[in-house]
Amino acid sequence: MRKITHLTQEEKQTLEEGYRNSSKAHFRNRCHSILMSYEGYKVKEIARIYKVRTRTIYTWFDNWEAHGISGLIMAKGRGVKAKLDQLCEQQEHTLKEAVGNNPQNLHTVGEDLTEKFGFTVTKNMLKRFLKKNSITLGDALENA
């Protein structure tokens, strides 16, 4: 059985501020769970309230103890990275050329690029890539 047994007045105030005013729900939940543990709630009770596993609560506690308030913030860079963002210059040129040759049918372009690149390229992936890199269809036509 583990719990947060010691908080300074400053830490308590910081956690309460984070719980009340943060725009991020995950951060509010984590701040509140630390405060609840300090107030005497059991890990199982906190887990039940937030509908997470007890292991998750222990992870929040570990992050609090190791890094303080910044340990409760969700780290950047999580999730799957966009495959089209990892293209080399030649592949990027191939993509722009393919879009320029057939700008009205990105579905077909995606199928062609899937064969060339060796991974699935969808219409939505192409649209996101073009938008993220500020490439208009006019730019793609010039590269074709």
Side-chain angles (χ1 to χ4, degrees):
M1 171 79 160
R2 188 164 156 216
K3 65 182 198 170
I4 304 297
T5 56
H6 180 71
L7 290 177
T8 66
Q9 188 61 31
E10 184 179 313
E11 289 173 330
K12 190 174 176 184
Q13 186 176 356
T14 303
L15 287 166
E16 287 173 352
E17 185 79 18
Y19 170 57
R20 289 192 184 112
N21 299 322
S22 177
S23 61
K24 304 290 185 186
H26 71 271
F27 184 72
R28 288 192 309 269
N29 294 347
R30 293 170 187 188
C31 288
H32 194 217
S33 70
I34 301 297
L35 289 168
M36 290 172 71
S37 177
Y38 179 71
E39 292 168 2
Y41 283 81
K42 294 181 177 161
V43 171
K44 283 186 179 184
E45 294 172 325
I46 298 170
R48 193 175 317 114
I49 290 168
Y50 286 109
K51 296 183 172 114
V52 296
R53 297 179 311 143
T54 55
R55 181 68 237 153
T56 301
I57 302 297
Y58 290 132
T59 300
W60 294 352
F61 289 179
D62 291 342
N63 289 341
W64 166 256
E65 290 169 348
H67 307 288
I69 196 76
S70 63
L72 303 180
I73 298 170
M74 195 173 289
K76 292 185 184 230
R78 298 169 31 122
V80 177
K81 306 299 175 244
K83 289 185 179 182
L84 294 181
D85 288 344
Q86 301 168 3
L87 297 177
C88 67
E89 282 186 43
Q90 182 181 4
Q91 289 174 319
E92 194 170 318
H93 178 73
T94 301
L95 183 146
K96 290 177 184 176
E97 187 177 314
V99 170
N101 290 336
N102 196 0
Q104 297 297 316
N105 195 347
L106 293 180
H107 179 72
T108 303
V109 172
E111 289 175 349
D112 294 341
L113 292 176
T114 295
E115 290 178 28
K116 290 179 182 174
F117 294 163
F119 60 85
T120 303
V121 179
T122 66
K123 177 181 174 180
N124 287 334
M125 288 170 72
L126 288 169
K127 287 169 67 174
R128 271 193 305 272
F129 178 81
L130 294 172
K131 183 176 181 178
K132 182 176 184 179
N133 293 292
S134 302
I135 301 170
T136 63
L137 292 178
D139 295 338
L141 288 170
E142 290 175 11
N143 290 333

